[in-house]
């Protein structure tokens, strides 16, 4: 009886042990909830098999050499860098200004 009263008065037993149990138990609980969430996301991401087959065919058909040949055919000597409109500028007005400047240079 005496030992039980001493333990109840001890601050480490009264506050420390429950806090430690909360931290350790919480980490295990969070792991389980996170695992459930990840499994649910994987389940949602699954594609229809026919659509997945089309996507895989498109991925495999892209070959680096073919893309290089396409880029080589482009005429990059006449390419001009045109700045886009700033957020505070009216995009239509700015596009008209750029077109007018380009027409005057040609």
């Amino acid at each position: 009886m005496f030992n039980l009263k001493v333990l109840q008065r001890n601050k480490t037993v009264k506050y420390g042990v429950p806090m430690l149990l909360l931290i350790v138990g919480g980490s295990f609980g969070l792991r389980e909830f996170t695992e459930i969430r990840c499994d649910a996301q994987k389940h949602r991401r699954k594609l229809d098999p026919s659509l997945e087959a089309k996507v895989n065919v498109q991925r495999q058909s892209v070959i680096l050499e073919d893309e290089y040949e396409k880029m080589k055919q482009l005429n990059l000597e006449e390419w001009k860098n045109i700045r886009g409109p700033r957020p505070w500028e009216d995009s239509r007005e700015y596009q008209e200004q750029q077109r007018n400047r380009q027409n005057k240079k040609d």
Side-chain angles (χ1 to χ4, degrees):
M1 248 351 198
F2 178 72
N3 290 336
L4 187 60
K5 287 185 179 184
V6 171
L7 288 177
Q8 286 178 345
R9 290 185 192 150
N10 190 346
K11 287 186 178 182
T12 303
V13 173
K14 191 173 182 180
Y15 298 112
V17 173
M19 183 65 161
L20 193 62
L21 288 173
L22 182 68
I23 291 171
V24 173
S27 67
F28 285 110
L30 285 175
R31 183 185 59 156
E32 293 299 321
F33 285 120
T34 305
E35 189 175 323
I36 291 169
R37 188 184 78 198
C38 291
D39 290 342
Q41 287 178 353
K42 286 179 187 176
H43 182 67
R44 272 191 240 139
R45 285 189 201 153
K46 288 186 180 177
L47 295 176
D48 183 35
S50 61
L51 181 61
E52 189 173 358
K54 289 180 184 178
V55 170
N56 288 336
V57 169
Q58 289 176 352
R59 285 183 186 165
Q60 293 172 354
S61 66
V62 176
I63 300 173
L64 188 59
E65 287 80 16
D66 294 340
E67 293 299 317
Y68 177 71
E69 292 299 324
K70 288 179 190 176
M71 292 299 293
K72 204 172 10 172
Q73 292 174 359
L74 295 175
N75 186 3
L76 297 177
E77 297 299 323
E78 296 178 13
W79 180 78
K80 294 181 182 174
N81 188 15
I82 299 175
R83 177 180 71 81
R86 306 278 195 233
W88 57 86
E89 295 175 339
D90 182 24
S91 64
R92 293 187 188 272
E93 180 182 323
Y94 187 75
Q95 289 172 358
E96 288 298 322
Q97 288 175 358
Q98 290 295 330
R99 288 186 186 124
N100 291 336
R101 287 182 190 168
Q102 191 173 24
N103 290 338
K104 289 179 184 177
K105 289 181 182 178
D106 294 335

